[in-house]
Amino acid sequence: MAEAVSRTELWAMIHAERAALAEDLAALSDEQWRQQSLCGLWVVEEVVAHLTAAASIGTVRWVRSIVGARFDADRHNRRRLAEQRGRDPEETLQRFRAVITSTTAASGHTPAWLGEVVVHAQDIRRPLGIERTPALTAVGAVAAFYAGRDFAVASRSAIKGLRLEATDGSFQAGTGSLVRGSTLALIMAMAGRAPYCDDLVGDGVPILRERCSPAAT
């Protein structure tokens, strides 16, 4: 497992990853903003609005929202996304930039919120062919959290009976059929993003690919 990091360090990583994504988004064309992402049926602009929403809602508002959605997470997410989506991509980006340094979150599971921005940033970058790899310390922290529990994604369940080994860092987890690759590819596969299984090797890859959800959020 990756070494534990403090909550202060995790928030610094979150802010850095948001800033890096905002930099990438600044160069997008209108067509690219409408590009299908790896996140279910959402296009790039919708994923960005979702990230803004996640950084704008605390515990009390989140509870009210999920109750108001009758505990339907998809309905909750759609409502909050619509709230943060601008009249056009420029306004959507402005709203995202405004929360880059936010420490607002629905819970104290800070590694999960780091995972939120790391995973959704790649949901955007991969279909657009944008090459940027998050800091190894950031993806290592997310990998350790994902391997340890199901939270926002069913990551621990996805790797049951598998042995994960990172080729670019110290992350290792589980026992069973081997899955090897970069830490980023491992966390994206744990988050249900099947295209990242193409970046992995080992006899456990077909098992992990089968468990990936095509509509992961």
Side-chain angles (χ1 to χ4, degrees):
M1 289 290 193
E3 292 183 6
V5 293
S6 70
R7 181 166 293 182
T8 298
E9 291 171 316
L10 288 168
W11 276 117
M13 293 176 198
I14 291 169
H15 298 159
E17 295 307 322
R18 287 175 182 160
L21 177 58
E23 181 179 326
D24 291 338
L25 294 169
L28 299 189
S29 66
D30 287 345
E31 182 180 358
Q32 287 174 311
W33 277 98
R34 296 190 296 269
Q35 169 70 43
Q36 181 71 45
S37 76
L38 296 185
C39 186
L41 300 176
W42 291 350
V43 299
V44 167
E45 187 176 1
E46 290 170 320
V47 177
V48 176
H50 172 70
L51 284 171
T52 303
S56 305
I57 187 167
T59 304
V60 174
R61 273 200 71 206
W62 184 90
V63 170
R64 289 175 179 167
S65 178
I66 198 71
V67 170
R70 297 185 179 182
F71 299 96
D72 183 330
D74 288 338
R75 181 184 296 176
H76 156 81
N77 282 329
R78 287 194 302 270
R79 287 176 173 177
R80 300 288 71 78
L81 180 159
E83 184 178 80
Q84 295 299 335
R85 189 174 186 176
R87 292 166 294 182
D88 52 37
E90 182 179 355
E91 184 174 1
T92 300
L93 178 54
Q94 288 175 349
R95 292 181 179 185
F96 178 64
R97 282 176 170 151
V99 300
I100 285 177
T101 59
S102 170
T103 55
T104 299
S107 77
H109 301 86
T110 315
W113 309 121
L114 175 58
E116 181 91 350
V117 65
V118 167
V119 170
H120 284 320
Q122 298 308 123
D123 284 341
I124 291 168
R125 290 178 179 132
R126 182 136 178 161
L128 292 175
I130 297 173
E131 297 289 337
R132 190 194 288 263
T133 301
L136 184 57
T137 51
V139 291
V142 175
F145 182 81
Y146 279 7
R149 65 187 301 170
D150 292 337
F151 187 66
V153 292
S155 47
R156 183 179 181 182
S157 296
I159 63 171
K160 184 177 180 181
L162 300 176
R163 169 69 177 173
L164 272 57
E165 294 183 359
T167 56
D168 58 349
S170 60
F171 173 71
Q172 297 182 358
T175 57
S177 301
L178 181 64
V179 178
R180 298 184 74 244
S182 70
T183 312
L184 178 61
L186 291 171
I187 67 169
M188 293 300 292
M190 282 193 277
R193 274 54 176 183
Y196 277 86
C197 290
D198 295 341
D199 301 345
L200 303 172
V201 297
D203 55 355
V205 174
I207 299 171
L208 184 55
R209 186 189 301 274
E210 180 68 22
R211 294 172 180 173
C212 284
S213 168
T217 57

